[in-house]
Amino acid sequence: MEAQGHANPRTRASPRQGVRWGKDRGYKGGYCRIIWRFCASLFGILTRPVGDLAAFWPANAILLGLMVRFQGLARPSGWIAAALGYVAADLVTGGTLLSTLLLSAANLFGVGVGFALFSRLDEQYRRLRRPLSVMYLVVITAIAAAAAGVIGAVANPILFGKGAASGWTFWFATELVNFMAILPLVLSFPDITWQGLRKSAFPRHVGLASIWPVLALIGSAAASVLVGGPGAMAFPAPALLWCALTYSLFVTSALTLLFSFWILLAISNGYLPIAVDSDAQHALMSIRIGVMLMALAPITVASVMATRNELLDRLKRLAEHDQLTGLLNRSAFRDKASALVSESTSNARPLAVLMADIDHFKSINDTFGHAAGDTVLAAFARCGSGCLRNSDIFGRLGGEEFAIVLADCTAEEALGIAERIRTLFASERVVLADGRPVAATVSIGCGSSRSSHPGIDHLLLAADNALYAAKAAGRNRVIVAASERQE
């Protein structure tokens, strides 16, 4: 909890389960954990008004978030490091031994209760990736804040000479608002890779329009300072909702955290006149709960939007891909192939099309069963995909028939790629579930145009004619379309 100078980060910056914030072995164990907790606690202490509780206390929320996100941190050594960080920060800033022990106990107790409850949830809920995730977040953080308030009720009369009830209430409100402001950011933080950051940080269609929600948030925050009054702190609410509809959950959480941090500090230091006595404990408690509720709305919207986008991506993939092989289905292949042909035509770049058909596929189904045929189809999809670039288009047109579009590829280059696919598949060891091996080969036809592209239909027809020629010539071979052989 945030009090007159108490330490409480338990941010051990070394995640475990595949995390890339640095591996445990690179951090030399507990020393780094103590430093992180010390710094987070010290930050909270330095933001407090003189003789009062901290206006913004990130340590407990950071500690809880990291333990929930990376549960390997919740070992005994992690808890000991957290306690040492709390104690060190409080003692360095002049806290007495009694106040240090009481406040550190409150911090650890609240985080421990929160961690125990979060650990019972599925990872998708812990990462706020389900619509009900925010509801669980609110309930669990409220229980954790109430648990910290129990120690606060004991500490308040001893340390500040105030009532136990007021101590519990104020402790509860303070912990709750800090949990709600910081936890979503930590729980939704992406893996430290460029792909992870880009996917989690930027809108799907980045453009000039995507900056407007942030500008609206800045403008509304400035207006709240200029206008003042009790309702001024709610001015940024519409802009925050706009951000939630535009940006990812991670970015929305970051903006909400900045908003909460700014509001609490602005009110605490008198930059945001609200026409109430912000020094009164009851008024400050009310303000902090109000900030928490405002932060809850955009985070809820962003969480629902994240689930919606994930569902749309899944539905799009189901609509465009063959379920057996994972390749593009017929309609999606034609759409993407047509677009690639048009692009190659406009840029006067070569392009080639391959048509492939599994040899004696009906015989495989009749001899080994349709499950064996499915295994052979999946094996060919793997072999073909392994020989292609990301820019190439690979689809299953139906049955045992496949098509490939090779961008920036001449007929000679396409012939080499087709031979590589044929050879690889012929040597592939296809083993059925019962252990029986299946030998399968493929025939491939190649069609291309060196300069102009008459269209995907013409190219597919040329490749298909070459495929029939390969079948007639004995199968398990690649043949280039006659028009290409004449060039």
Side-chain angles (χ1 to χ4, degrees), residues 14 20 60 224 252 281 284 310 330 410 413 427 459-460 463:
S14 111
R20 300 178 177 88
N60 291 350
S224 65
T252 301
Q281 191 178 75
L284 190 54
E310 180 183 345
R330 188 182 190 91
T410 64
E413 294 169 334
S427 62
L459 291 171
L460 286 172

Side-chain angles (χ1 to χ4, degrees), residues 12 14 22-35:
R12 163 207 193 178
S14 111
K23 307 213 186 301
D24 281 345
R25 62 177 178 270
Y27 277 98
K28 303 299 182 184
Y31 294 112
C32 185
R33 303 166 199 160
I34 296 172
I35 292 172

Side-chain angles (χ1 to χ4, degrees), residues 276-330:
V276 298
D277 183 8
S278 60
D279 291 330
Q281 191 178 75
H282 177 76
L284 190 54
M285 178 193 68
S286 176
I287 290 169
R288 292 183 178 185
I289 292 178
V291 171
M292 184 275 294
L293 293 175
M294 286 183 58
L296 185 62
I299 292 172
T300 302
V301 172
S303 180
V304 172
M305 290 295 293
T307 304
R308 168 189 173 274
N309 292 337
E310 180 183 345
L311 178 60
L312 290 177
D313 288 341
R314 192 179 307 167
L315 290 175
K316 182 179 179 182
R317 178 168 181 81
L318 289 173
E320 293 184 345
H321 289 78
D322 173 59
Q323 296 303 296
L324 175 62
T325 62
L327 303 177
L328 293 172
N329 59 28
R330 188 182 190 91

Side-chain angles (χ1 to χ4, degrees), residues 95-109:
T96 65
L97 181 60
L98 177 60
S99 67
T100 297
L101 294 177
L102 283 174
L103 296 168
S104 297
N107 293 329
L108 285 170
F109 188 51

Side-chain angles (χ1 to χ4, degrees), residues 355-399:
M355 288 285 290
D357 188 274
I358 307 297
D359 296 328
H360 303 295
F361 186 72
K362 184 177 184 302
S363 176
I364 293 174
N365 278 336
D366 293 342
T367 302
F368 298 97
H370 289 280
D374 291 346
T375 302
V376 171
L377 293 174
F380 176 73
R382 287 195 306 273
C383 292
S385 299
C387 297
L388 302 177
R389 303 161 297 178
N390 291 334
S391 58
D392 299 328
I393 300 174
F394 192 8
R396 181 187 178 195
L397 302 187

